[in-house]
Amino acid sequence: MQYKRIFVAVAMSAIIPATALAANIPLDPTNSALDPQSPYATLYLPQNAPTSVDQVGPDAWTHAYGNPQHNAAFSVAKDAPQWIRDGVRWNFPEARAWPLSDSHPYGEKVDGLKEALPVQTQFYGNALGVSVVRGVVYAESDDMFAYAINAQTGKLIWRSSPVENNLMSNPLVVGNHVYLSAGSVSFNFANVMKYAKHPRQAGRGKDISYNGIFCLNRENGQLLWSFKTAGDAMPTPAYAEQSLFISTGDGNIYRISAADGKELWKTHVGGIANMSSPVVMDGRVYVSMSVIPGLYALDVKTGKVLWKGEIPGAVNTGMGDVSPAAADGIVVMDTVADAKLVDGKPTMDTVVRAFNGTTGKVLWTVNLGRGARIPAFKGGVPMIHDGTVYVGTPVTSDYTAINLHSGKVEWTWKVPNPGPAGAGRGAPTFYRGMLYISTGPDIYAVDPKNGRLMHRYHVGGRFGIVNPTIVGGTMYLGNSWDWVNAVPVKDVNPNFSESGK
């Protein structure tokens, strides 16, 4: 059965009657047609869309952090518009924008600074970075809205809130579709009690709100279809072979059709999906889960589990925090591990392990060192570029470069002034001979050859599990203070030059 969903468009400062734009679209949940004055009605401002000349950047966004390697860097053609080659600067305030200049998170007086920093990332602003496709920046926020923003001007094209739940991932953008995943870190009391008795049966996000995948029209933000799940769907799906691969908080992994959301297969592996997003490489989908820590390789066509990889001593939430990176037939995973008291204080290690993508054989293991236990997302997302793994850890607030094939540590760089919650969660970005890292309120340019700090640029607010997305001469970021930021790369690296080659 279909119902009408009210859809609001504003053009040239005049409001078009909603009835002229109403479309027969399946509602979510059923019978919830929105009044056009509702703050959750889809808002569409077509006059802010980029012109055909300004539709620059990648044609699609298929994985968290841009691709299976997690390196969100995209060059532009030599004849691309001047603005994208030189870089633009703007700050876009989302629905609950907290002043970037205010270093105190919303809940500091209640939770204390150490806890309030990650809590604001989890429930308030952008947990991950942004996606950029053909001149448009797409962002999901914990404020329950998704946004499409003109990459040149920073003006809103559309805003949509398809479901009452946090939106914590990278939007995937393929063809005329934008895919969002909805879920939160919450457990209700019944599932907390179930977890205490039967950890393998508990589910994060169950009976909390509406979880799942929501498909929007890329042009105007209208809801097209949804695929609901019992457990949370916080992680970004992976797109491959006209399908989306999803992991959920009740231990399931799905393949669904990207065209209409039809379920193609479902495999129950147990555990809980936190923020670990699947990656697809060479006909396999790699998914990491928490509570029952493990990295799973599944056959893309059948959903059969081909192998399971483990990291000794992995803390129960650790492997589900981190999205694996994949390149050259190798899958790289890290986790916090071996939790123990040292001088009466809780500490843990961070361990990185590389697996053969075909067989699951362990290729090498590196311990990044022991540090104090920090709150929330405790791992660092690895990035692979040209045979090197770059990975951070908020336990020690370091970034480390490791040879992908041998496991040899090349260098380690310590984040200055990491703050009480630690720094180093987001994947770095390699672009034109420089490594860019967003953590805390700042962006850093680091020499990828030796780990030497080259320059620091202050934005404000806080970057959570955020990678800088670079297109041409502009860097785009999501901020926990509920902003999307655009910064010229040359502001972060004064020696930068976008050659356009």
Side-chain angles (χ1 to χ4, degrees), residues 91-106 117 120 124 441 458-462 479-483 485:
N91 293 316
F92 176 83
E94 296 172 306
R96 299 185 184 279
W98 190 255
L100 288 169
S101 59
D102 189 345
S103 61
H104 300 279
Y106 179 84
L117 287 167
Q120 188 145 326
Y124 196 95
H458 182 74
V459 175
R462 181 179 188 259
N479 200 296
S480 297
W481 266 222
D482 215 29
W483 294 76
N485 311 113

Side-chain angles (χ1 to χ4, degrees), residues 118-166:
V119 165
Q120 188 145 326
T121 296
Q122 292 174 318
F123 291 103
Y124 196 95
N126 299 270
L128 265 63
V130 299
S131 312
V132 180
V133 174
R134 297 190 60 77
V136 178
V137 180
Y138 299 89
E140 292 184 43
S141 173
D142 286 334
D143 66 19
M144 300 184 186
F145 284 101
Y147 302 84
I149 305 161
N150 186 304
Q152 177 185 8
T153 65
K155 292 183 177 180
L156 179 68
I157 302 168
W158 55 256
R159 185 189 70 190
S160 181
S161 182
V163 68
E164 185 275 322
N165 209 338
N166 300 127

Side-chain angles (χ1 to χ4, degrees), residues 3-8 17-25 222:
Y3 301 85
K4 288 186 177 180
R5 176 184 175 88
I6 300 300
F7 168 64
V8 181
T19 54
L21 293 167
N24 288 324
I25 297 170
Q222 291 187 78

Side-chain angles (χ1 to χ4, degrees), residues 10 22 92 177 233 357 447:
V10 180
F92 176 83
H177 291 168
D447 190 328

